[in-house]
Structures are given as C-alpha cells and as structure tokens.
Amino acid sequence: MDSLLLGLFDPNDNCLPMGPKCSNDMLDNCPNEGQLPPEPQLGNIEYKLKLLNPSRTRFQHLVTQLKWRLREGGGEAIYEIGVEDSGLLAGLPSYEMDASLKTLSLMAAELGATTTILRERQVSTGRKVTEVLVRKVPADQHTIEVRVAVMGSADAGKSTLVGVLTQGELDNGRGRARLNTFRHLHEVQSGRTSSISHATLGFDSQGKVLNCFDMECNEEMHCTKLISLLDLAGHRKYLRTTVQALSGYRPHHAMLVVSSQAGVVGMTREHVAISAALEVPLFIVVTKTDLGPHSDVVNHITQMLTNPGIRKVPLLIRNEDDVITASSNQLRENIVPIFCVSSVTGEGLDLLIRFLHVLPPGISTKEKERLDQEFAEFQIDEIFRVADVGTVVGGLLTKGVITEGTELLVCPFDDGTFSPVKVNSVHRNKAPCRMVHSTQSASLALDPPFPSLRSGMVLISPEEKPISCLFFQATVCVLYHSTSIHRGFQTTVHIGNIRQTAVLEGIMAQTSMHTNDRASVLFRFLRHPEYIRVGARLLFREGMTKGIGKVTQTFPFADSPAG
C-alpha cells in the first residue's frame, strides 16, 4: 500500500491521471444483481432464508447466533432475510416475510435489542428481500459511539455542516450555523477553524435524530447511537493539528468536505493521502450545491479516487438504497460514498444523516473487551485549568478502564520522570460518569494539579512500569522526498498523540533514503523524552516530505547519552 500512495504526495503532479470511472450505473447493471457475496463467517452480517416457527431449541440457537453477530459488530448486526447462505436473493412471499420479521423481533427482545427495517427489495413477483438492523447498546455503555473526523480545505463549509447536523437548523447563507462550533474569538472573527472542535449527533433506537440540545435538556430521550464529530482545521498552516487529531483520537471514519465552488484543491489531496496512510475509512461530502452545478467536482473526485495512488471505488449517493449499499460495503469493498448537500436549502442532508445512522462502529465488542482487560493507558490531548476543580485533561483511553479514584502515573516529564496522580471525577460527552472504557474519549479531573502538563503525555497504570525514551528505532517507508534523506535530517513525527521534532540519527544498512525506499532508522526526539510503545504507527512530515512506519524498538531515557 505504501507505494500506492506516492502519486498523491507528488507536489509537481498538478493533474491526476485519468482512471476508469465507477458509477452507480455500473453497479445497477451488474450481471450479479440477484446475488450477494457469500455469507461472511466473521463480522456482523447474517443471511437467513426464513425464520418460521422455530422450536425452542432452534430459537435459543438463533438468539445465541444473534448475540455473537452483535459482539462482532460492536452492538449492531445486519440481517438479510430471504437470502441463502450462498448470497442468492431467493426472496419470501409477504406472509412468510412477516412471520420471519416477527421471529427476528422476538430474538432481539430476548437480548434487549431493537430492530429497524433498513430497506426492502422485490426480487420476483410476490417475493421480496428485507434488510434489518439489529442494535443493542453494550451493557457497559450508555450508547454506541462512532468517532468521525471532519476534514477538508479552508472555506469548504466543514464547521457550517457540523453546526447544521448537530443543531438541527439550516444555515442562513452567511455562516450562522458554524458559530456554536468555534472555540476561540479569532475563529469567530475570521470564520476559520484553527483547533479541534467536538460536536455530537445522537440517534434513538428508531433512527430519529437527537441533536445536542435534545440530549442535554430532555432526560427522557434515550440515545442509542452517538456520532462524535471532530471538526478539524483546513488551512495548511494548521495541518499539523489536523494530523495530530487523526493520529491521536483514532477516528473510526473520516468525512472529507469538498466545496462545489472551489473543487478538488491541494489540501483535499493532502487529506485523502493522510487518511489513506493512517487507514481511516473515508466518505466525501460535496457542499454548497445551492450555489451552482456540482457535476464537474464529482468527476474530479472520481478521478482522484480511482487513480493508481488510491484505488477506491466512488459511489455517488442518489437515494436511500445507495446509502445502505455504501454503509454495508464501505469497509469490505473500499467504497467511498459521495454525498451532495446544501447547508442552506437542506438538499441531500437526509441521506447524509441516514448514512451516519447506519455507519458501523469502529471495533467489535470482542476486541473492546480484550482491551478492557489490559492496564489503563490514557492519552492527554488537552489540558484545562478549571476553577474549584483544578487540572482537567481531555483525551482518549486507548486501553483499560478508568473509574473515579483510580491511581495512575502521569508521564513523562522533561527529565523523563513519572508522578503519581489520582482521578477525582470522569466526564464523557459533557456529562459526569463513573467509568470510562477503552477506545472512549473522556475528560478527567486530576489530583494533585500539575502546572507542567503538556499534550502528548499519558496517564498509565503503575503496573505497566512505563519507561520514557529519547531514542527509538522504526521501520519507515518514504512516501515522497524531492532529493535524498541523510543522517541529521529533522522532521515532525506523529505517534498517537505525540507530535515532536525528531532527528534522524542513523539509517541501517544504507547511507541515504529516497522516495519509495524502506529502511530501519534511528530517531532522537529533539526536545524531551516521550512514552511510546513498540508497534505504534508512525507518520513523519517536513514540508512536502512524508513517510509512514512502525516503531520496532525503544531505548530507555536513563540509558541514553542525554539521560
């Protein structure tokens, strides 16, 4: 995959090569229209030809099977009724379909889950296939949470779109909807995002939208699925903040916003390349469609996605059936859905909201339970000083569980040391809670307060016996460099929530590196030691130079020359 990304990182390539277009017409005219892929053994998708009057033993077996599919899907499962295991769309008559749906509802009720019919299709005269979403919020969570990073070039309409989605009101054409998403005065004055802004969009069990005001003010509304939108900066001078958010917060999906007026620009290609390098699933939203035609922009996006550097399958969303097709095949078939919306008229917003409702969660419940069993590790991304509370840190819990009263270590300080700290309180989604689980973002109030905390530090369990390092070794691949990289090369390194300048101290088995070269190299952090894990994903950039890699070895700070 590394070599496939090179085309996007070439600053001299002003026009993308023409590639084969994949349109909805090609999918509609597919010769296997009455055939789905064979039923996957793993995952949250289940095929059932019919569910008619099962015996008690058979019913319990079906419930156990549904429970396993829900675990695989992180609390969500897709049931295709009227489909054979081979994927053949056999279909059922109406009376058999009604009975099968009733059985599925009883199966879901046995587990405390809900069912929602996503779509129905006629496969022959009097026979149809139904796709059903089964959702159950895990017992240790209040909601199913999906993190979506909102990216795009400056003035593409990212903050306005986030404001319209979360507030439930259309924009007035002059950016009124984006005001509540800004965090700083200079952002309001310039209309340009410079930091990481958080917004939430909720759904109940039937798919009804609950915006942020509903969830905060009405306690009777039960939110079963929560979309956390990370509004990121689009201007080039804030690119390092955007990369840090993608690397540190680990979003499950990325929403790339493209203006129908400006089209595909340099930062658009940059964001596509970064999401591909970090392997974040992508979907695209073309905004400002009320200002003029957008067909040319869609064609340019199609060319960008189908070129040899990315090799994705673009799918223009025209109706609700396309939405379900895109959501169920996005991860498996590398499909990139393309939505065309207007934040002023509301055109296309219903399809985008429907897509967010059925967007699959990030990891399976089984994987999440495995991470919960490990020692706690919390990445610090933001630090606040709150009156009468003290030091509050915000970030992502990568593994383990943290509760009120948990004792942790905060590390590393500039001298490589660690200090004990106690968690006084925990907040998630602007509400207090008693516990935060792995892969969840939260805010923690710490005691005692530390004046020297910084972004990039971690809170970690004392049982881990953490070690800070100044030197580390990594296997890297240079995606683009105009000349050659030698010893002494300085670059900005992103490892999780860490963002620091590092010096290349040595290249193993060779003297220099060029574009597409792969080698094992030794890095040294320039300012202070960090806590990093072996196997962590690494991304480095300096100007137009970019590369990715993986940490293979760390050297304790106390044993290094600086220590």
Side-chain angles (χ1 to χ4, degrees):
M1 185 202 72
D2 303 340
S3 60
L4 298 179
L5 298 174
L6 299 176
L8 285 177
F9 285 112
D10 189 353
N12 300 318
D13 187 10
N14 295 323
C15 60
L16 291 169
M18 293 293 292
K21 296 182 181 180
C22 180
S23 64
N24 297 54
D25 297 333
M26 294 171 59
L27 297 176
D28 294 339
N29 298 325
C30 178
N32 295 326
E33 185 178 0
Q35 180 82 28
L36 293 176
E39 181 184 55
Q41 296 298 319
L42 303 177
N44 67 331
I45 299 178
E46 178 71 27
Y47 296 168
K48 290 297 179 186
L49 180 60
K50 59 179 69 176
L51 297 170
L52 300 178
N53 301 320
S55 64
R56 185 62 185 173
T57 303
R58 172 64 176 166
F59 182 80
Q60 290 299 328
H61 173 74
L62 292 172
V63 170
T64 303
Q65 190 179 52
L66 172 59
K67 183 177 180 180
W68 186 81
R69 291 294 186 184
L70 288 170
R71 283 170 56 89
E72 284 289 296
E76 293 184 346
I78 302 293
Y79 267 64
E80 302 281 358
I81 308 298
V83 181
E84 296 183 359
D85 290 345
S86 62
L88 178 64
L89 303 183
L92 293 177
S94 297
Y95 69 94
E96 289 189 351
M97 180 60 71
D98 293 340
S100 299
L101 293 177
K102 182 178 180 181
T103 302
L104 182 59
S105 298
L106 293 175
M107 293 163 49
E110 190 81 5
L111 298 175
T114 60
T115 60
T116 305
I117 295 178
L118 296 179
R119 60 176 171 178
E120 295 181 346
R121 68 171 75 175
Q122 297 287 338
V123 294
S124 63
T125 304
R127 303 178 74 88
K128 60 183 178 180
V129 172
T130 303
E131 187 168 354
V132 184
L133 170 66
V134 183
R135 176 176 293 166
K136 180 183 184 301
V137 178
D140 57 355
Q141 303 180 39
H142 296 291
T143 62
I144 298 172
E145 182 179 0
V146 180
R147 290 189 300 277
V148 178
V150 184
M151 306 186 302
S153 61
D155 303 323
K158 301 183 298 299
S159 300
T160 299
L161 179 61
V162 170
V164 170
L165 290 175
T166 57
Q167 298 168 27
E169 295 182 1
L170 296 176
D171 186 53
N172 64 349
R174 296 185 296 274
R176 180 181 62 186
R178 66 188 178 186
L179 295 180
N180 289 332
T181 65
F182 288 146
R183 302 178 57 187
H184 305 289
L185 178 60
H186 70 269
E187 294 179 330
V188 177
Q189 294 171 342
S190 65
R192 183 170 292 168
T193 303
S194 63
S195 60
I196 304 171
S197 177
H198 299 256
T200 54
L201 175 66
F203 296 93
D204 63 11
S205 59
Q206 301 303 316
K208 179 183 175 182
V209 176
L210 304 177
N211 59 43
C212 55
F213 301 105
D214 294 331
M215 291 184 286
E216 291 176 7
C217 302
N218 194 334
E219 297 180 355
E220 297 179 357
M221 291 188 175
H222 181 58
C223 178
T224 60
K225 188 168 187 176
L226 192 68
I227 307 296
S228 297
L229 300 172
L230 306 177
D231 186 14
L232 307 181
H235 197 275
R236 178 170 291 276
K237 70 178 181 178
Y238 303 123
L239 181 59
R240 62 178 187 175
T241 302
T242 299
V243 177
Q244 184 182 22
L246 288 173
S247 176
Y249 279 97
R250 302 181 186 179
H252 304 134
H253 300 267
M255 179 169 68
L256 179 66
V257 181
V258 180
S259 170
S260 64
Q261 305 302 299
V264 177
V265 296
M267 286 304 299
T268 306
R269 297 187 181 93
E270 189 92 19
H271 288 160
V272 170
I274 292 172
S275 64
L278 296 177
E279 299 180 358
V280 181
L282 182 72
F283 63 96
I284 297 176
V285 179
V286 179
T287 58
K288 304 181 182 180
T289 58
D290 56 295
L291 298 180
H294 52 273
S295 57
D296 290 343
V297 176
V298 174
N299 291 335
H300 293 161
I301 293 173
T302 301
Q303 294 175 15
M304 176 181 64
L305 295 176
T306 55
N307 77 358
I310 289 295
R311 294 182 182 176
K312 300 287 186 180
V313 181
L315 175 61
L316 181 61
I317 305 299
R318 296 193 182 99
N319 50 51
E320 191 167 319
D321 191 66
D322 292 338
V323 170
I324 307 303
T325 300
S327 64
S328 59
N329 294 281
Q330 183 187 17
L331 301 181
R332 292 183 300 166
E333 305 295 338
N334 285 332
I335 287 180
V336 178
I338 302 175
F339 297 85
C340 299
V341 305
S342 170
S343 298
V344 176
T345 64
E347 175 190 1
L349 287 177
D350 55 338
L351 296 178
L352 178 59
I353 291 175
R354 181 67 168 170
F355 179 76
L356 293 174
H357 171 241
V358 297
L359 203 59
I363 62 173
S364 65
T365 305
K366 181 179 180 181
E367 175 66 13
K368 191 173 182 304
E369 290 178 351
R370 184 191 68 81
L371 292 174
D372 283 348
Q373 299 302 318
E374 299 188 12
F375 295 124
E377 181 181 320
F378 183 87
Q379 296 181 349
I380 298 177
D381 294 301
E382 296 179 295
I383 300 100
F384 309 95
R385 314 293 176 187
V386 182
D388 301 328
V389 176
T391 302
V392 176
V393 296
L396 178 71
L397 181 63
T398 58
K399 61 177 187 172
V401 176
I402 292 179
T403 61
E404 294 182 0
T406 301
E407 295 184 354
L408 302 169
L409 295 177
V410 57
C411 66
F413 291 95
D414 291 349
D415 56 358
T417 59
F418 303 77
S419 296
V421 70
K422 181 179 179 182
V423 178
N424 277 348
S425 63
V426 181
H427 277 66
R428 291 195 65 245
N429 301 318
K430 304 178 182 179
C433 62
R434 295 186 178 275
M435 181 181 297
V436 56
H437 293 264
S438 60
T439 74
Q440 294 180 344
S441 55
S443 298
L444 311 177
L446 305 181
D447 183 44
F450 288 94
S452 55
L453 290 181
R454 54 176 171 78
S455 175
M457 300 178 74
V458 296
L459 296 172
I460 194 166
S461 174
E463 286 81 358
E464 279 280 3
K465 298 177 179 169
I467 298 174
S468 59
C469 70
L470 199 67
F471 289 81
F472 67 94
Q473 191 169 334
T475 301
V476 302
C477 176
V478 180
L479 298 178
Y480 177 79
H481 187 66
S482 57
T483 56
S484 60
I485 296 177
H486 298 267
R487 183 176 182 269
F489 175 74
Q490 293 189 9
T491 180
T492 301
V493 174
H494 296 267
I495 307 176
N497 65 328
I498 296 171
R499 182 188 68 194
Q500 189 181 160
T501 301
V503 181
L504 195 153
E505 292 288 350
I507 306 175
M508 311 304 170
Q510 57 192 80
T511 58
S512 63
M513 297 180 66
H514 302 79
T515 298
N516 206 24
D517 282 353
R518 183 186 295 271
S520 179
V521 301
L522 179 67
F523 284 104
R524 172 177 59 87
F525 286 121
L526 194 61
R527 296 182 57 192
H528 44 69
E530 302 280 7
Y531 172 76
I532 56 178
R533 286 184 167 276
V534 174
R537 185 185 297 274
L538 174 148
L539 188 147
F540 64 89
R541 55 180 303 276
E542 181 61 36
M544 300 308 300
T545 300
K546 296 175 182 67
I548 58 177
K550 183 174 292 186
V551 177
T552 57
Q553 187 177 0
T554 61
F555 302 92
F557 178 67
D559 298 336
S560 65

PDB file of all heavy atoms in Angstrom, residues 3 51 193 228 435:
ATOM      1  N   SER A   3       3.554   2.110  -1.622  1.00  0.00           N
ATOM      2  CA  SER A   3       3.906   2.641  -2.935  1.00  0.00           C
ATOM      3  C   SER A   3       2.710   3.212  -3.662  1.00  0.00           C
ATOM      4  O   SER A   3       2.847   4.079  -4.522  1.00  0.00           O
ATOM      5  CB  SER A   3       4.546   1.530  -3.779  1.00  0.00           C
ATOM      6  OG  SER A   3       3.638   0.461  -3.948  1.00  0.00           O
ATOM      7  N   LEU A  51     -37.314 -17.482   8.817  1.00  0.00           N
ATOM      8  CA  LEU A  51     -37.368 -17.750  10.257  1.00  0.00           C
ATOM      9  C   LEU A  51     -38.822 -18.031  10.617  1.00  0.00           C
ATOM     10  O   LEU A  51     -39.554 -17.153  11.091  1.00  0.00           O
ATOM     11  CB  LEU A  51     -36.832 -16.555  11.059  1.00  0.00           C
ATOM     12  CG  LEU A  51     -35.366 -16.176  10.835  1.00  0.00           C
ATOM     13  CD1 LEU A  51     -35.053 -14.840  11.493  1.00  0.00           C
ATOM     14  CD2 LEU A  51     -34.437 -17.247  11.377  1.00  0.00           C
ATOM     15  N   THR A 193     -11.467  27.660  11.249  1.00  0.00           N
ATOM     16  CA  THR A 193     -11.163  26.793  12.385  1.00  0.00           C
ATOM     17  C   THR A 193      -9.656  26.614  12.518  1.00  0.00           C
ATOM     18  O   THR A 193      -8.964  26.366  11.529  1.00  0.00           O
ATOM     19  CB  THR A 193     -11.834  25.425  12.202  1.00  0.00           C
ATOM     20  OG1 THR A 193     -13.240  25.610  12.030  1.00  0.00           O
ATOM     21  CG2 THR A 193     -11.597  24.536  13.410  1.00  0.00           C
ATOM     22  N   SER A 228     -19.702  11.211  17.266  1.00  0.00           N
ATOM     23  CA  SER A 228     -18.826  12.285  17.745  1.00  0.00           C
ATOM     24  C   SER A 228     -18.088  12.874  16.551  1.00  0.00           C
ATOM     25  O   SER A 228     -17.276  12.191  15.915  1.00  0.00           O
ATOM     26  CB  SER A 228     -17.823  11.751  18.775  1.00  0.00           C
ATOM     27  OG  SER A 228     -18.480  11.272  19.919  1.00  0.00           O
ATOM     28  N   MET A 435     -17.345   5.677  35.030  1.00  0.00           N
ATOM     29  CA  MET A 435     -16.342   4.802  34.427  1.00  0.00           C
ATOM     30  C   MET A 435     -16.183   5.143  32.951  1.00  0.00           C
ATOM     31  O   MET A 435     -17.136   5.528  32.281  1.00  0.00           O
ATOM     32  CB  MET A 435     -16.774   3.337  34.585  1.00  0.00           C
ATOM     33  CG  MET A 435     -15.821   2.321  34.020  1.00  0.00           C
ATOM     34  SD  MET A 435     -16.432   0.621  34.237  1.00  0.00           S
ATOM     35  CE  MET A 435     -16.475   0.520  36.036  1.00  0.00           C
TER      36      MET A 435
END
